Structure formats: C-alpha cells, structure tokens
Amino acid sequence: MKNNKDSIILGIESSCDDTSAAVLINGKIYSNVVANQEVHTNYGGVVPELASRAHQQNIVPVVDQALKKAKITTKDLSAIAFTKGPGLLGSLLVGTSFAKSMGLGLNIPIIDVHHMKAHIHAHFIQTFNKKEKKIPEFPFICLTVSGGHTQIVLIKDYLDMTIVGETIDDAAGEAFDKAAKLLGFDYPGGPLIDQYSKKGDVSKFKFTYPKVNGYNYSFSGLKTQFLYFLEKNKNKDSRFIQNNLADICASYQNHIISYLFKNVKKAMNQTGCKDLAIAGGVAANSALRKQLKELGQEKSYNTFIPEFEYCTDNAAMIAISGYFLYNAGQFAQQNISPTARITF
Ligand code: KG4
Ligand code: ZN
C-alpha cells in the first residue's frame, strides 16, 4: 500500500501513565490508541515503578492495534517518533527503547519529540475521515496546562517556540488533583472536580492569588490555602465537604481558571497575538473550554481547543510533532537516552 512519496510515521507516547501509539499518514491521523493505567487509582498519584511495568505490558499490543487500525504493517513505516521527555524516566525508557529497537530492526529513522511541544502541536492534527479543522495562525499564544506543567508559550512557527511564563512550583493539574485528593476523590481527581463544579456556585468561596513575577504562576500555595480552608470549615461543620461539594469544586476551579487567564491576557496584550490556544490534560476541563470561548468573544481573539482525545496524553500529538521534525530532517541517533527534565 505504501507509495514512495508517502510519509508514514508511528508515534509512541509513554511519558507518564498512558501508553499510546498513533499512525500519521501524510500529516493525517489514521489511528490513535491509548491504554490508560488503572493501577494508580487508589494511590493518589502515579506510582513510577508501576507505570513503567504497565508500559512494558501495554506497548506491544498498543502499537500492534495502532498499525492494524491504520491498515498498515511495520514495512510501510517511514519513521518512528517517540517522547524523549519530560516525564517519568522509567516510563520514558520503555517508549524510547522500543522506538530505538524497532527503528534499528526496520532500518528507518527515529525522531525524538518534546512532550510539551507535542501538546501544542496537537492543534495541527487533522484526522483522515473528519472535516478539515481550523488551525491557529503564527504567531499565537498557547496556554499548556497538564499534570506536570503550566506554561504560556509563544509559537512563531512549528519548530520555533518560546516560553513566556510558567509555574515556579506545582502545575495547574496538580492543583486540581491535590485538592481532589483532599476532597476524597481518587486519582486523577481533575475530571471529578470538573463534573461536580457543573452544579456549583463559583462565587460561594473565595481564594487569593500569590504574588509571582512576570507571567509566571505558583500553585503550591493554593494547595495549602485549600487545605486550611477545608480544615477551618470542617471544624465548624463536620459535614462541610458533603454539604457543599459542588460549590467548593466550582469556586476552586473558577479560581484556577481566572488565575490562568490573568497572565494569558497580559501575554496576549504584550505580544499582540490574535490567536489563543489551550493544550494539555487540563484543557479537557469543560469550564476552561467554555471560558476560553467567552474570553475570545470579549477580546476578539480567535480561540483554539484541541479535540478532547488530543488534550490528555496521546501518541497522535507525538506523531504530528515527529512529522514536523521529519520534514525538517531532524532525526535522533541510536545512542539517544530519554530525559526526565528537558529544556524547551
Ligand atoms: O497532559 P496530561 O494528560 O498528562 C501530563 O502530561 O501531565 O494531564 C493530566 C492532568 C491531570 O492533572 C488531570 O487531573 C488533568 O490533566 N485533567 C483535568 C481534566 N481532565 C484531565 N483537570 C481538570 N478538569 C478536567 N476535565
Ligand atoms: Zn502531557
């Protein structure tokens, strides 16, 4: 089936607790298979050792399914893109080693991808059987909010990105997950806060913003603030959480969103960008998506939100990132190692 001019890229993502493989043919996604790891649910966070073991179990069937869904075989592949970092080292090692050996076996190039840049590249994903999606125009600002990162990035071209502001401690996703844990939710609690917030009053409880320089963020103080807020109220009413769950979630979630947008608006003003995007797992949050659209209408920005399946970790974003690097002739060598912390 392979035409010599086709570029067929297999993307592999294994940076945290999702094992994923995707096939991209001439810039379009033909398959995107994700195996979520249930094993962490009761631990309040991802357990690195369990994550790497689960990746080892999942990677072969996930890659196999991605190839089958795209109706291709390994012989059709032009290159393999994989996540080099940032992420959990043990998890990254599984995807990296797999990509390296598969590339060596098939004698095709391998491409190392930066996970956070890939979250942004998710905006350029077109799916083969779906209507062509509108994509942001350069230069644009992207607010990338995930479980490990919170960044405001200026994107001048596919491979020309600069961080304008970022968190100096915890990520926005952690602010969701840690508060969720205090409320008694399983990990990851972000989606549950989202769900309960739908019936809550956003102005019932107030939280304060920390003082941070420039367009940077700090979320670690918010977690402590939330802990003291719950303790104080539980001392007065032992059923405080049960009696106010929706309002607590809505107020807390709304506070995080307002805080995120505060710096984004400043960055949009300063850069003069007209296009504003969000990316990363927290971009799956329904209130954040809704408020982004409202902000766009208010400020006349063009706003962009990736499809739900391309917000949380997925290999389609790794494949599209790999495609831009492939076109630029930027390949990895066989001696490459994954890196838990990696510069942008
Ligand atoms: O990008 P991602 O899948 O993994 C990382 O690279 O970290 O992001 C995971 C984060 C978790 O903190 C999770 O709670 C959060 O995204 N998340 C949400 C929602 N869906 C996922 N947070 C708030 N509301 C959601 N609907
Ligand atoms: Zn991610």
Side-chain angles (χ1 to χ4, degrees), residues 275-286:
D275 288 12
L276 172 62
I278 53 171
V282 182
N285 183 272
S286 57

Side-chain angles (χ1 to χ4, degrees), residues 157 171 309:
D157 208 333
E309 70 170 307

